[in-house]
Amino acid sequence: MPPCARSACSGVQQSTGLLHAQDDKQAAVVFEHVTKRFGDAIAVDDVDLRIDDGAFVAIIGSSGCGKTTLLKTVNALVMPDEGRVLVHGQATSSADPIELRRNIGYAIQGSVLFPHLTVEQNIAYVPTLLNSGDKDRTEAAVAKWMDIIGLPRDIMDRYPAELSGGQAQRVGIARALAASPDVLLADEPFSAVDAITRASLQDEIKRIHRQTGITVLFVTHDIDEALDLGDQVLVMEAGRAVQFAPPCDILRAPATAFVDRLVTRKRTVYAR
């Protein structure tokens, strides 16, 4: 479905410089004037926005614009130098990082599976820690997410080296979701697979989002992927969040010259 058609009733409103979600919805993640520096370089520059519970936000921008750094502030892999990040109302600076990450799935490019563990053991890794030795509960979690992701049971005893690229990426997503987190962070998870497999994985993650209602923050460098997947799209430029809006608004009313250049080739396809 074209982005304009599916985002027409998205319920976002214009505010100063950015688009913020309706205040009557619960916020899953809030960035309050977040800035992060690495030496003299500003990776994230005064990002101020909120993401509603259950949203699918695609984050796009040029290489080095701060997408991954912003994503990592959510699970406290990176801490802001200024401002704060709240996850379901709790500041990451005051949270136990281990407890915080138990409710946040993290899927990255290439899946990065444990090579010495089977598919079943990879997916079961976090549930085993959480379930305190309850083997039946862990096995149920593995079976549940293998079914949701669309992984056949006959690969459970295989090792990562025995999997195709698409299978390995699916296992990585299943592992990220196996503890039933509230938020999924995905950092260009499909960029290392071929175009056909990538399209299939995009369909899978959209289906998973619809089925589970999980909040997804999805970093990509592909404008087609961002417009297709995101209920909202966050465009970043040089560390700043320059526009946060549904795909239709990104296409019809780009907020800056950079956003306009980003979508100019897509506007005639989607904005009808």
Side-chain angles (χ1 to χ4, degrees):
M1 183 182 297
C4 288
R6 61 182 169 80
S7 63
C9 299
S10 59
V12 289
Q13 299 174 336
Q14 184 77 40
S15 71
T16 305
L18 292 174
L19 291 171
H20 288 257
Q22 288 181 338
D23 292 335
D24 59 351
K25 294 182 179 179
Q26 180 182 1
V29 180
V30 177
F31 301 96
E32 294 185 345
H33 298 285
V34 171
T35 295
K36 179 62 183 179
R37 301 180 183 87
F38 294 103
D40 294 332
I42 300 177
V44 175
D45 188 2
D46 194 29
V47 171
D48 185 50
L49 57 90
R50 56 171 280 164
I51 295 170
D52 285 339
D53 196 28
F56 194 126
V57 177
I59 306 172
I60 188 165
S62 304
S63 296
C65 71
K67 304 185 296 296
T68 293
T69 299
L70 185 69
L71 196 74
K72 288 181 176 180
T73 65
V74 178
N75 62 357
L77 288 176
V78 170
M79 299 303 297
D81 294 313
E82 298 173 18
R84 63 177 186 164
V85 180
L86 293 88
V87 179
H88 291 118
Q90 182 177 18
T92 58
S93 58
S94 62
D96 180 327
I98 295 175
E99 291 297 324
L100 175 71
R101 291 167 194 157
R102 284 177 176 173
N103 293 313
I104 299 175
Y106 191 39
I108 62 177
Q109 180 179 337
S111 77
V112 194
L113 301 176
F114 300 120
H116 61 291
L117 300 182
T118 65
V119 166
E120 181 179 17
Q121 291 167 335
N122 265 282
I123 298 173
Y125 189 82
V126 174
T128 298
L129 298 176
L130 297 178
N131 294 334
S132 301
D134 188 337
K135 185 177 179 181
D136 291 341
R137 189 175 177 186
T138 296
E139 288 178 349
V142 172
K144 168 189 172 181
W145 285 105
M146 287 190 72
D147 289 344
I148 290 175
I149 300 295
L151 289 165
R153 299 288 181 88
D154 61 7
I155 71 166
M156 291 178 70
D157 294 329
R158 295 185 190 177
Y159 289 89
E162 300 173 307
L163 303 176
S164 69
Q167 287 174 328
Q169 197 63 64
R170 283 182 169 87
V171 173
I173 294 170
R175 188 180 66 181
L177 295 172
S180 297
D182 300 318
V183 177
L184 173 64
L185 307 179
D187 191 0
E188 300 195 43
F190 307 151
S191 60
V193 297
D194 62 86
I196 294 175
T197 301
R198 183 171 186 162
S200 176
L201 289 167
Q202 289 168 350
D203 289 341
E204 290 293 337
I205 201 164
K206 284 190 289 186
R207 179 182 57 78
I208 292 164
H209 178 248
R210 289 193 301 267
Q211 185 172 339
T212 66
I214 191 172
T215 304
V216 180
L217 279 69
F218 188 102
V219 166
T220 179
H221 64 274
D222 185 327
I223 184 61
D224 285 313
E225 188 168 64
L227 294 171
D228 183 47
L229 293 181
D231 297 323
Q232 298 180 66
V233 177
L234 171 61
V235 184
M236 295 191 66
E237 180 185 12
R240 299 188 66 85
V242 294
Q243 192 165 8
F244 182 39
C248 187
D249 291 351
I250 296 287
L251 287 160
R252 289 180 172 169
T256 68
F258 173 75
V259 182
D260 185 63
R261 291 194 301 272
L262 193 65
V263 302
T264 187
R265 294 183 180 179
K266 310 303 174 186
R267 194 177 298 116
T268 56
V269 176
Y270 293 122
R272 296 177 179 175

